[in-house]
Amino acid sequence: MLVRASDLVTLSGCEQGRLVRSRQISSRQLVEAHLARIADVNPALNAAVEVFRSRALKDADAADQRISQDQARSVFDGVPFSVKDSIEIEGSVCTAGTLGFANRPAATKDATLVARLRAAGAIPVVRTNLPDLLFAFEADNFLFGRTNNPYNLERTSGGSSGGEAALIAACGSPFGLGSDAAGSVRLPAHFCGISSLKPTSGRLARTGHVPPPGGWLEMVWQIGPMARRVEDLCAMMPILLGGDGEDLTVIEMPYADPAQTLLGNLRVAFFTDNGVKTPDKATIATVRRAAESLQGHVRSVEESTPAGIEESYELEMKMIGPDGGDSLRSYLKSIGSNRHHDLLEGWLRKLEQHRTDLAGFAGYWADLQAFRSRMRRFLDNFDVILSPVAAFPALPHGHSIADDVFPGFSYTMTHNMTGWPAAVVRCGTSADGLPIGVQIAAAPWREDLVLAVAQKLEELCGGWQAPGAWSL
């Protein structure tokens, strides 16, 4: 069977892997198709900041040799993937989008999760754009400039994993790795119409992330997978699991297969307004339709809002900025980032509003634990929660930091504060053609429930759709 390169790049990573393992295409052909696609779309998107052409082709030839000997390593053997520029790749400079890291030495080894994908035969082909030191809901920085949304170049792709989302949506990569401390894999997925998962905090090793794990923020963030199709998220997770002996925050909890989830047993709650920022009408309608589409597939669907969820925004800002952003400013100074992007400065100004002393910080912790307890009690009556990802679809460039807009990102912040797993899948489209995602969350360590419901919603609502402006 002959597969056109233009069709090949639209397939999921799992489908691409099946074609490689069945020898209907070679890994080299697959990688070359993605390299060509990146070359086509990146001048307009500015999502890719470094392409590993020669190394990727060498790795593809090695994969083809293994497969010719029936020694495929995994479902992704010979399949390319992308990596956010805050996750290290051996031999490459990981800049985190900030001036102080522009000339840092190349990494001497892969980040743990990159190494695990590589050991499974997957091939890193490109590093993708992000905000200055990851602090913005838009991918824009002094080193590489801004990334544009593939559905409308005048709109942002989101942040901080905005380059990942834009490139995956435009078929430059089937899947990749991002990271999330306030919504950074989920918000870009929503803006760009793809799928993503923030696993439970402590599920995956974060070794090789820049900036590194540490401090009080460890409890609220995770590296997470991003893809056009939910089946790739499901296939990636077993490869990524487990401690590495370096990130000691990883908890070796059992992991359940989403394919074994009995949807008919699930009690689903949904809400459309968290009391912080009311979403636009299209977002509300999309969440409501997604919930209603599950009727008959799950045990029950009920509109119900967790008590105290309106505290999500203030809690996130308090936990990130109890020192008013002083530690972040000190870190930036220590690495030589003496000039900061306006979007990062906007974050720092907002953090200054939450400066407190040690007693106040203890109060913040008490507020967080009370919030977590209330949210956990909510799951006495429900298994899964559906909600908006943000209060709006993709914004015009530069608008994310506005005071009347910023609280609209609080929907993802909720599940950073709980540490719960949360996924995003496209379930609708705005009147002007922008994707609208739905967020699915569940109790700690229940990624299986989140992914099973995400996959069903993808089936019922359509999931990723090719950006109309791009020929495929």
Side-chain angles (χ1 to χ4, degrees):
M1 180 181 74
L2 296 177
V3 183
R4 295 185 308 167
S6 58
D7 294 329
L8 191 56
V9 295
T10 69
L11 302 177
S12 71
C14 288
E15 291 172 326
Q16 292 173 5
R18 283 190 282 271
L19 291 174
V20 171
R21 294 194 308 281
S22 64
R23 304 179 199 176
Q24 296 179 66
I25 60 167
S26 67
S27 175
R28 172 173 272 266
Q29 289 172 317
L30 182 61
V31 169
E32 286 177 337
H34 283 90
L35 291 170
R37 183 64 179 170
I38 294 168
D40 285 345
V41 303
N42 203 54
L45 294 182
N46 193 37
V49 300
E50 184 178 9
V51 179
F52 309 114
R53 181 180 183 85
S54 59
R55 181 173 180 176
L57 290 173
K58 181 179 178 180
D59 288 346
D61 290 339
D64 286 330
Q65 180 67 23
R66 286 193 300 274
I67 289 163
S68 71
Q69 298 171 354
D70 295 322
Q71 295 177 354
R73 294 177 176 175
S74 79
V75 297
F76 291 136
D77 202 350
V79 178
F81 70 99
S82 47
V83 182
K84 179 182 181 179
D85 189 21
S86 62
I87 301 171
E88 291 184 335
I89 297 173
E90 182 183 3
S92 172
V93 175
C94 182
T95 74
T98 197
L99 290 172
F101 283 149
N103 298 309
R104 71 194 296 251
T108 58
K109 64 177 183 177
D110 291 329
T112 294
L113 301 191
V114 173
R116 287 177 176 168
L117 286 170
R118 198 193 291 275
I123 300 170
V125 294
V126 61
R127 183 185 292 285
T128 56
N129 205 22
L130 73 175
D132 189 344
L133 202 66
L134 291 74
F135 269 83
F137 288 111
E138 303 180 44
D140 194 353
N141 60 65
F142 291 137
L143 295 179
F144 305 112
R146 79 183 192 194
T147 296
N148 301 317
N149 191 301
Y151 294 86
N152 183 334
L153 299 179
E154 299 305 311
R155 303 278 176 146
T156 178
S157 63
S160 61
S161 309
E164 274 297 299
L167 193 70
I168 292 169
C171 301
S173 165
F175 60 84
L177 294 172
S179 55
D180 187 316
S184 291
V185 302
R186 290 163 291 155
L187 189 279
H190 161 59
F191 276 7
C192 294
I194 66 167
S195 299
S196 68
L197 171 70
K198 180 196 78 67
T200 307
S201 296
R203 175 65 92 176
L204 303 181
R206 294 170 297 175
T207 306
H209 190 275
V210 179
W216 63 85
L217 282 180
E218 282 189 339
M219 62 188 291
V220 305
W221 75 276
Q222 260 294 179
I223 296 175
M226 306 174 72
R228 283 190 300 277
R229 295 299 184 190
V230 178
E231 72 167 332
D232 285 348
L233 305 181
C234 295
M236 290 173 76
M237 281 299 292
I239 293 170
L240 302 176
L241 291 172
D244 63 354
E246 295 185 61
D247 180 357
L248 301 182
T249 67
V250 176
I251 300 172
E252 300 281 6
M253 291 290 287
Y255 181 80
D257 182 357
Q260 302 302 313
T261 296
L262 298 176
L263 288 174
N265 291 340
L266 298 185
R267 302 160 298 169
V268 176
F270 77 95
F271 66 91
T272 60
D273 190 334
N274 67 359
V276 180
K277 177 79 173 179
T278 299
D280 63 19
K281 291 181 180 179
T283 298
I284 291 173
T286 296
V287 174
R288 191 171 296 279
R289 282 196 305 268
E292 292 171 350
S293 75
L294 290 174
Q295 294 278 10
H297 299 282
V298 297
R299 177 178 167 186
S300 63
V301 177
E302 179 180 333
E303 186 167 8
S304 185
T305 305
I309 200 169
E310 67 278 0
E311 297 176 18
S312 299
Y313 174 73
E314 285 296 319
L315 273 175
E316 175 89 25
M317 301 306 288
K318 287 176 179 178
M319 294 307 298
I320 290 179
D323 61 354
D326 288 349
S327 58
L328 179 55
R329 288 188 182 278
S330 295
Y331 181 77
L332 287 161
K333 184 177 181 180
S334 73
I335 62 174
S337 290
N338 296 315
R339 187 163 65 99
H340 314 143
H341 194 279
D342 286 348
L343 293 169
L344 172 54
E345 281 293 340
W347 258 93
L348 289 168
R349 287 193 297 272
K350 286 179 174 17
L351 294 181
E352 288 171 359
Q353 303 169 27
H354 301 278
R355 184 187 302 276
T356 189
D357 56 15
L358 184 58
F361 188 36
Y364 288 178
W365 273 97
D367 292 343
L368 177 62
Q369 294 309 316
F371 177 84
R372 288 182 157 189
S373 293
R374 285 193 302 270
M375 290 292 291
R376 188 64 185 85
R377 286 196 298 271
F378 184 77
L379 293 185
D380 290 342
N381 299 310
F382 300 101
D383 301 296
V384 174
I385 307 172
L386 270 55
S387 73
V389 187
F392 30 68
L395 296 164
H397 293 288
H399 284 218
S400 66
I401 205 66
D403 288 342
D404 62 338
V405 170
F406 201 75
F409 299 114
S410 56
Y411 290 88
T412 51
M413 294 175 178
T414 298
H415 304 301
N416 294 98
M417 293 299 95
T418 62
W420 294 357
V424 167
V425 64
R426 180 176 179 168
C427 292
T429 305
S430 72
D432 49 358
L434 296 170
I436 300 176
V438 168
Q439 181 172 224
I440 309 104
W445 318 113
R446 296 313 306 266
E447 288 87 357
D448 56 322
L449 303 187
V450 166
L451 290 171
V453 173
Q455 197 154 26
K456 176 54 70 171
L457 286 174
E458 180 181 64
E459 174 191 326
L460 296 170
C461 301
W464 171 81
Q465 300 172 26
W470 304 91
S471 59
L472 287 164

